[in-house]
Short mmCIF file of all heavy atoms in Angstrom, two decimals:
data_model
loop_
_atom_site.label_atom_id
_atom_site.label_comp_id
_atom_site.label_asym_id
_atom_site.label_seq_id
_atom_site.Cartn_x
_atom_site.Cartn_y
_atom_site.Cartn_z
N SER A 955 77.27 -67.68 -73.55
CA SER A 955 76.02 -67.01 -73.23
C SER A 955 75.96 -65.70 -73.94
O SER A 955 77.00 -65.23 -74.52
CB SER A 955 75.96 -66.75 -71.67
OG SER A 955 76.99 -65.99 -71.24
N ILE A 956 74.76 -65.24 -74.18
CA ILE A 956 74.55 -63.94 -74.84
C ILE A 956 74.97 -62.84 -74.01
O ILE A 956 74.69 -62.93 -72.66
CB ILE A 956 73.00 -63.81 -75.26
CG1 ILE A 956 72.66 -64.89 -76.27
CG2 ILE A 956 72.73 -62.35 -75.84
CD1 ILE A 956 71.22 -64.83 -76.73
N VAL A 957 75.73 -61.85 -74.44
CA VAL A 957 75.98 -60.73 -73.69
C VAL A 957 74.80 -59.97 -73.38
O VAL A 957 73.90 -59.65 -74.33
CB VAL A 957 77.03 -59.79 -74.46
CG1 VAL A 957 77.34 -58.51 -73.78
CG2 VAL A 957 78.31 -60.56 -74.79
N PRO A 958 74.58 -59.71 -72.14
CA PRO A 958 73.30 -58.82 -71.83
C PRO A 958 73.19 -57.53 -72.58
O PRO A 958 74.17 -56.81 -72.72
CB PRO A 958 73.50 -58.57 -70.26
CG PRO A 958 74.45 -59.53 -69.82
CD PRO A 958 75.43 -59.89 -70.96
N ASN A 959 72.11 -57.36 -73.08
CA ASN A 959 71.78 -56.20 -73.94
C ASN A 959 72.54 -56.00 -75.22
O ASN A 959 72.40 -55.01 -75.77
CB ASN A 959 71.85 -54.84 -73.01
CG ASN A 959 71.13 -54.95 -71.78
OD1 ASN A 959 69.85 -55.28 -71.85
ND2 ASN A 959 71.59 -54.54 -70.69
N ALA A 960 73.20 -57.06 -75.55
CA ALA A 960 74.01 -56.95 -76.84
C ALA A 960 73.12 -56.71 -78.09
O ALA A 960 73.50 -56.03 -79.02
CB ALA A 960 74.93 -58.21 -77.03
N LEU A 961 71.98 -57.44 -78.05
CA LEU A 961 71.08 -57.25 -79.22
C LEU A 961 70.33 -56.00 -79.23
O LEU A 961 69.72 -55.66 -80.19
CB LEU A 961 70.16 -58.52 -79.31
CG LEU A 961 70.87 -59.75 -79.48
CD1 LEU A 961 69.97 -60.99 -79.31
CD2 LEU A 961 71.41 -59.71 -80.95
N ASP A 962 70.32 -55.19 -78.20
CA ASP A 962 69.68 -53.83 -78.11
C ASP A 962 70.46 -52.97 -79.26
O ASP A 962 69.72 -52.20 -79.84
CB ASP A 962 69.88 -53.21 -76.74
CG ASP A 962 69.08 -53.86 -75.61
OD1 ASP A 962 68.10 -54.77 -76.00
OD2 ASP A 962 69.20 -53.56 -74.55
N GLU A 963 71.69 -53.08 -79.31
CA GLU A 963 72.43 -52.33 -80.28
C GLU A 963 71.99 -52.58 -81.71
O GLU A 963 71.77 -51.73 -82.50
CB GLU A 963 73.99 -52.54 -80.07
CG GLU A 963 74.70 -51.61 -81.03
CD GLU A 963 76.32 -51.71 -80.81
OE1 GLU A 963 76.71 -52.65 -80.08
OE2 GLU A 963 76.94 -50.91 -81.33
N ALA A 964 71.96 -53.91 -82.01
CA ALA A 964 71.35 -54.31 -83.32
C ALA A 964 69.84 -53.82 -83.60
O ALA A 964 69.59 -53.27 -84.68
CB ALA A 964 71.38 -55.77 -83.44
N HIS A 965 69.06 -53.95 -82.54
CA HIS A 965 67.71 -53.34 -82.63
C HIS A 965 67.72 -51.91 -82.90
O HIS A 965 66.94 -51.31 -83.71
CB HIS A 965 67.03 -53.65 -81.30
CG HIS A 965 65.61 -52.98 -81.12
ND1 HIS A 965 65.51 -51.73 -80.62
CD2 HIS A 965 64.44 -53.45 -81.49
CE1 HIS A 965 64.10 -51.40 -80.63
NE2 HIS A 965 63.49 -52.49 -81.18
N ASP A 966 68.52 -51.13 -82.11
CA ASP A 966 68.59 -49.69 -82.30
C ASP A 966 69.06 -49.29 -83.73
O ASP A 966 68.65 -48.41 -84.41
CB ASP A 966 69.43 -49.06 -81.37
CG ASP A 966 68.95 -49.12 -79.90
OD1 ASP A 966 67.65 -49.42 -79.79
OD2 ASP A 966 69.76 -48.86 -78.96
N LEU A 967 70.15 -50.03 -84.35
CA LEU A 967 70.52 -49.83 -85.67
C LEU A 967 69.51 -50.05 -86.61
O LEU A 967 69.39 -49.25 -87.61
CB LEU A 967 71.80 -50.64 -85.98
CG LEU A 967 73.09 -50.31 -85.30
CD1 LEU A 967 74.02 -51.44 -85.41
CD2 LEU A 967 73.63 -49.07 -85.96
N VAL A 968 68.63 -51.14 -86.48
CA VAL A 968 67.50 -51.43 -87.38
C VAL A 968 66.45 -50.33 -87.27
O VAL A 968 66.02 -49.73 -88.33
CB VAL A 968 67.01 -52.77 -87.10
CG1 VAL A 968 65.61 -52.89 -87.84
CG2 VAL A 968 67.85 -53.81 -87.43
N ILE A 969 66.20 -49.86 -86.07
CA ILE A 969 65.22 -48.76 -85.87
C ILE A 969 65.59 -47.46 -86.60
O ILE A 969 64.82 -46.87 -87.15
CB ILE A 969 64.95 -48.50 -84.34
CG1 ILE A 969 64.26 -49.63 -83.74
CG2 ILE A 969 64.26 -47.22 -84.18
CD1 ILE A 969 62.82 -49.94 -84.31
N ASN A 970 66.88 -47.26 -86.65
CA ASN A 970 67.35 -46.06 -87.27
C ASN A 970 67.17 -46.11 -88.81
O ASN A 970 67.20 -45.02 -89.44
CB ASN A 970 68.91 -45.88 -87.05
CG ASN A 970 69.06 -45.23 -85.67
OD1 ASN A 970 68.20 -44.63 -85.01
ND2 ASN A 970 70.15 -45.67 -85.09
N PHE A 971 66.86 -47.31 -89.41
CA PHE A 971 66.51 -47.32 -90.77
C PHE A 971 65.11 -47.11 -91.12
O PHE A 971 64.77 -46.99 -92.25
CB PHE A 971 66.93 -48.70 -91.38
CG PHE A 971 68.45 -48.89 -91.49
CD1 PHE A 971 69.20 -49.90 -90.74
CD2 PHE A 971 69.16 -48.11 -92.35
CE1 PHE A 971 70.44 -50.01 -90.91
CE2 PHE A 971 70.51 -48.25 -92.48
CZ PHE A 971 71.33 -49.26 -91.73
N VAL A 972 64.19 -47.02 -90.05
CA VAL A 972 62.79 -46.83 -90.38
C VAL A 972 62.64 -45.39 -90.92
O VAL A 972 63.20 -44.48 -90.26
CB VAL A 972 61.99 -46.99 -88.99
CG1 VAL A 972 60.59 -46.56 -89.19
CG2 VAL A 972 62.20 -48.31 -88.47
N PRO A 973 61.91 -45.29 -92.03
CA PRO A 973 61.82 -44.00 -92.62
C PRO A 973 61.06 -43.00 -91.62
O PRO A 973 60.17 -43.47 -90.94
CB PRO A 973 60.93 -44.23 -93.87
CG PRO A 973 61.11 -45.70 -94.07
CD PRO A 973 61.28 -46.31 -92.80
N LYS A 974 61.48 -41.75 -91.66
CA LYS A 974 60.87 -40.82 -90.81
C LYS A 974 59.40 -40.51 -91.00
O LYS A 974 58.65 -40.33 -90.21
CB LYS A 974 61.59 -39.41 -90.91
CG LYS A 974 63.08 -39.50 -90.71
CD LYS A 974 63.40 -39.46 -89.24
CE LYS A 974 64.86 -39.34 -89.03
NZ LYS A 974 65.36 -40.32 -88.12
N SER A 975 59.03 -40.75 -92.30
CA SER A 975 57.64 -40.59 -92.57
C SER A 975 56.68 -41.67 -92.11
O SER A 975 55.47 -41.63 -92.28
CB SER A 975 57.47 -40.58 -94.20
OG SER A 975 57.89 -41.79 -94.66
N SER A 976 57.27 -42.72 -91.56
CA SER A 976 56.39 -43.83 -90.89
C SER A 976 55.63 -43.51 -89.63
O SER A 976 55.00 -44.39 -89.13
CB SER A 976 57.26 -45.10 -90.90
OG SER A 976 58.11 -44.95 -89.78
N GLY A 977 55.78 -42.32 -89.21
CA GLY A 977 55.19 -41.86 -88.06
C GLY A 977 56.01 -42.09 -86.78
O GLY A 977 57.20 -42.27 -86.92
N SER A 978 55.32 -42.18 -85.63
CA SER A 978 56.12 -42.34 -84.41
C SER A 978 56.35 -43.76 -83.93
O SER A 978 56.84 -44.10 -83.02
CB SER A 978 55.42 -41.56 -83.27
OG SER A 978 54.16 -42.25 -83.10
N ARG A 979 55.86 -44.83 -84.73
CA ARG A 979 55.95 -46.18 -84.32
C ARG A 979 57.44 -46.54 -84.45
O ARG A 979 57.95 -46.61 -85.55
CB ARG A 979 55.16 -47.09 -85.31
CG ARG A 979 55.10 -48.49 -84.92
CD ARG A 979 53.99 -49.29 -85.67
NE ARG A 979 54.20 -50.65 -85.27
CZ ARG A 979 54.61 -51.68 -85.94
NH1 ARG A 979 55.02 -51.39 -87.20
NH2 ARG A 979 54.67 -52.83 -85.48
N ARG A 980 58.07 -46.85 -83.40
CA ARG A 980 59.48 -47.14 -83.26
C ARG A 980 59.83 -48.52 -82.71
O ARG A 980 60.95 -48.66 -81.96
CB ARG A 980 60.21 -45.98 -82.48
CG ARG A 980 59.98 -44.65 -82.96
CD ARG A 980 60.40 -44.41 -84.25
NE ARG A 980 61.98 -44.22 -84.34
CZ ARG A 980 62.71 -44.07 -85.25
NH1 ARG A 980 62.12 -44.14 -86.48
NH2 ARG A 980 64.01 -43.83 -85.17
N THR A 981 58.89 -49.39 -82.74
CA THR A 981 59.24 -50.77 -82.29
C THR A 981 59.21 -51.78 -83.35
O THR A 981 58.53 -51.64 -84.37
CB THR A 981 58.23 -51.16 -81.08
OG1 THR A 981 56.88 -51.13 -81.64
CG2 THR A 981 58.24 -50.25 -79.90
N LEU A 982 59.94 -52.92 -83.08
CA LEU A 982 59.90 -53.93 -84.01
C LEU A 982 59.08 -55.15 -83.55
O LEU A 982 59.00 -55.35 -82.30
CB LEU A 982 61.40 -54.58 -84.20
CG LEU A 982 62.32 -53.49 -84.93
CD1 LEU A 982 63.63 -54.29 -85.02
CD2 LEU A 982 61.80 -53.20 -86.33
N ARG A 983 58.37 -55.85 -84.33
CA ARG A 983 57.57 -56.96 -83.98
C ARG A 983 58.37 -58.19 -84.01
O ARG A 983 59.36 -58.39 -84.84
CB ARG A 983 56.48 -57.03 -85.05
CG ARG A 983 55.45 -58.05 -84.82
CD ARG A 983 54.37 -57.97 -85.89
NE ARG A 983 55.00 -58.06 -87.21
CZ ARG A 983 54.59 -58.92 -88.16
NH1 ARG A 983 53.68 -59.75 -87.88
NH2 ARG A 983 55.20 -58.96 -89.28
N VAL A 984 58.27 -58.93 -83.00
CA VAL A 984 58.98 -60.21 -82.94
C VAL A 984 58.26 -61.26 -83.70
O VAL A 984 57.02 -61.47 -83.43
CB VAL A 984 59.08 -60.70 -81.50
CG1 VAL A 984 59.89 -62.00 -81.28
CG2 VAL A 984 59.91 -59.64 -80.61
N ILE A 985 58.94 -61.95 -84.56
CA ILE A 985 58.20 -62.98 -85.39
C ILE A 985 58.85 -64.37 -85.10
O ILE A 985 60.10 -64.38 -84.96
CB ILE A 985 58.29 -62.64 -86.92
CG1 ILE A 985 59.70 -62.38 -87.44
CG2 ILE A 985 57.43 -61.50 -87.19
CD1 ILE A 985 59.72 -62.24 -88.84
N GLY A 986 58.10 -65.32 -85.08
CA GLY A 986 58.57 -66.70 -84.82
C GLY A 986 58.98 -66.98 -83.50
O GLY A 986 59.37 -66.06 -82.70
N SER A 987 58.96 -68.29 -83.16
CA SER A 987 59.31 -68.66 -81.76
C SER A 987 59.58 -70.11 -81.77
O SER A 987 58.88 -70.84 -82.60
CB SER A 987 58.34 -68.31 -80.75
OG SER A 987 58.68 -68.82 -79.53
N ARG A 988 60.58 -70.67 -81.18
CA ARG A 988 60.75 -72.07 -81.12
C ARG A 988 59.97 -72.72 -79.92
O ARG A 988 59.93 -72.19 -78.85
CB ARG A 988 62.22 -72.44 -80.96
CG ARG A 988 63.00 -72.05 -82.19
CD ARG A 988 64.34 -72.79 -82.12
NE ARG A 988 65.04 -72.42 -83.27
CZ ARG A 988 65.78 -73.28 -83.96
NH1 ARG A 988 65.78 -74.56 -83.50
NH2 ARG A 988 66.42 -72.90 -85.00
N ALA A 989 59.27 -73.73 -80.26
CA ALA A 989 58.55 -74.49 -79.29
C ALA A 989 59.47 -75.44 -78.44
O ALA A 989 60.55 -75.77 -79.02
CB ALA A 989 57.44 -75.21 -79.79
#
Protein backbone atom coordinates (compact mmCIF):
# COMPACT_ATOMS: atom_id res chain seq x y z
CA SER A 1 0.00 0.00 0.00
CA ILE A 2 1.05 3.61 -0.43
CA VAL A 3 2.43 5.17 2.73
CA PRO A 4 -0.06 7.87 3.79
CA ASN A 5 1.16 11.34 2.79
CA ALA A 6 4.37 9.93 1.28
CA LEU A 7 3.79 11.71 -2.00
CA ASP A 8 3.31 15.02 -0.16
CA GLU A 9 7.07 15.18 0.27
CA ALA A 10 7.66 14.72 -3.46
CA HIS A 11 5.03 17.37 -4.15
CA ASP A 12 6.75 19.80 -1.77
CA LEU A 13 10.13 19.15 -3.39
CA VAL A 14 8.69 19.91 -6.84
CA ILE A 15 6.98 23.06 -5.58
CA ASN A 16 10.33 24.29 -4.27
CA PHE A 17 11.61 24.29 -7.86
CA VAL A 18 8.91 26.75 -8.98
CA PRO A 19 10.67 30.05 -9.77
CA LYS A 20 9.94 32.80 -7.27
CA SER A 21 8.95 35.11 -10.14
CA SER A 22 5.98 32.90 -11.05
CA GLY A 23 3.83 34.64 -8.45
CA SER A 24 1.97 33.09 -5.58
CA ARG A 25 0.61 30.08 -7.50
CA ARG A 26 1.96 27.14 -5.48
CA THR A 27 -0.15 24.17 -6.58
CA LEU A 28 0.45 21.49 -9.19
CA ARG A 29 -2.16 20.49 -11.69
CA VAL A 30 -3.04 16.78 -11.79
CA ILE A 31 -2.86 15.44 -15.32
CA GLY A 32 -4.22 12.16 -16.59
CA SER A 33 -6.32 9.57 -14.89
CA ARG A 34 -6.95 5.93 -15.43
CA ALA A 35 -10.50 4.92 -16.20
